[in-house]
Amino acid sequence: MKIIAIIGFALLAVPLSAQTQTTVENAENTAPITNRFHVGETMNYEGKFGFLRLGRASMHVVGHDTIRGVPTTHFRFILRANALGLIRMRNQFDSWVGRKDFFSRRFTQKFNEFGKSRETAYEIYPDSGFYTSLEVDTALAVSPEPLDDTAFFYFVRSLDLEPGSRQEFDNYFRPDRNPVVIEVMERDTIDVPAGRFATIVVHPIINGGGIFKESANARMWITDDDRRLIVQMKTKFSFGTVTLRLTDWQISTEDPDNER
């Protein structure tokens, strides 16, 4: 986990609050949030610390699945690093989110760092109010309308991001991580390897520390259009600032109602 913190890409999930409930209800009146993200969508990134290339990252809409009888969409976030032979890793985060309610049902993490591997997995039961994990024998209370780390990326892309606004969310699936704050800072046009983009700059703040603690001054640049691509992410540590920049992307045009 220290490697994840150093590279700064393993983001904590943004959960749904009373404010968010309105967003979800409005989305359901037209189409579920998951219908915004078609199977096959991929975003690829390069990771840098100053001029040092740390590695690459990618986000994927993998496909549709069924978890305990609930239709879900499968999201994946992968981090790869190989810098000067000192940092070697491949970490993978998978999330299964309900297609109708956008609540997390399963979240898995696979870490391979310096030749050592380990896994964590969470089974999340929104209707029953608890979650289980490989690391804990007993069931633990889950927040209402829960989201996990990987689902965060897709949820924040569905929000109404108006510069100057501030939203607080209380339903990250682990209650001790709440609240999460999303501050929408400004509009900005930036250049990344994938091109020039008009963006909205978002400042996420996570309660209890981590890479999105207030002192990290973290930022996400999200395109100011219907695509809502995440084109850049940046966070600050005591040793400097780490940046992810979009190199290329692919968006499927398939009708989500026809995806299976």
Side-chain angles (χ1 to χ4, degrees):
M1 290 301 293
K2 291 183 179 178
I3 296 299
I4 296 298
I6 290 173
I7 294 185
F9 306 148
L11 309 180
L12 295 179
V14 167
L16 307 173
S17 68
Q19 292 184 40
T20 312
Q21 184 62 41
T22 301
T23 303
V24 173
E25 287 175 352
N26 289 341
E28 289 179 344
N29 288 337
T30 55
I33 292 176
T34 48
N35 279 11
R36 294 175 59 99
F37 312 116
H38 299 186
V39 172
E41 180 191 275
T42 300
M43 292 180 284
N44 296 312
Y45 301 87
E46 65 173 13
K48 285 191 172 183
F49 168 52
F51 294 104
L52 176 64
R53 177 173 290 182
L54 290 176
R56 307 191 70 81
S58 58
M59 283 187 274
H60 309 272
V61 182
V62 178
H64 296 312
D65 205 342
T66 301
I67 303 295
R68 297 184 298 274
V70 177
T72 61
T73 297
H74 179 187
F75 300 119
R76 176 173 292 161
F77 182 40
I78 300 177
L79 311 171
R80 305 174 184 88
N82 189 351
L84 302 177
L86 300 177
I87 301 176
R88 298 188 306 276
M89 77 170 196
R90 185 187 188 281
N91 293 345
Q92 179 173 314
F93 307 83
D94 287 85
S95 173
W96 287 261
V97 178
R99 294 193 66 193
K100 293 184 177 180
D101 57 21
F102 210 73
F103 301 163
S104 294
R105 260 63 182 200
R106 177 175 293 161
F107 178 52
T108 65
Q109 301 168 301
K110 298 179 181 179
F111 303 97
N112 189 322
E113 300 170 357
F114 301 105
K116 297 182 179 180
S117 299
R118 67 183 182 88
E119 298 185 15
T120 62
Y122 300 91
E123 294 292 334
I124 302 170
Y125 300 81
D127 296 335
S128 301
F130 69 89
Y131 73 92
T132 62
S133 77
L134 294 176
E135 300 172 330
V136 180
D137 293 334
T138 59
L140 299 172
V142 71
S143 298
E145 305 174 11
L147 288 179
D148 60 67
D149 302 55
T150 303
F152 164 85
F153 291 110
Y154 296 91
F155 172 70
V156 75
R157 292 170 61 193
S158 73
L159 295 176
D160 182 12
L161 301 174
E162 184 63 32
S165 65
R166 173 188 171 98
Q167 302 179 62
E168 293 190 8
F169 306 98
D170 296 319
N171 293 4
Y172 178 63
F173 82 98
R174 294 174 55 179
D176 61 310
R177 299 291 180 90
N178 293 313
V180 175
V181 176
I182 295 295
E183 295 181 347
V184 185
M185 307 300 292
E186 61 184 352
R187 288 183 167 87
D188 187 18
T189 299
I190 65 170
D191 293 296
V192 297
R196 170 167 288 193
F197 297 89
T199 66
I200 301 172
V201 185
V202 176
H203 178 200
I205 305 172
I206 303 297
N207 184 45
I211 66 169
F212 279 165
K213 63 184 179 181
E214 190 166 5
S215 62
N217 201 29
R219 297 288 190 272
M220 299 173 66
W221 283 256
I222 302 174
T223 57
D224 190 10
D225 56 27
D226 290 340
R227 299 172 300 177
R228 284 290 199 251
L229 300 173
I230 302 174
V231 299
Q232 182 169 275
M233 291 177 276
K234 185 178 294 188
T235 191
K236 183 190 297 181
F237 297 94
S238 59
F239 56 83
T241 299
V242 174
T243 305
L244 270 179
R245 303 193 306 162
L246 185 71
T247 59
D248 60 272
W249 80 97
Q250 175 181 334
I251 296 181
S252 171
T253 58
E254 183 176 357
D255 182 349
D257 290 335
N258 293 329
E259 294 174 0
R260 295 291 184 266

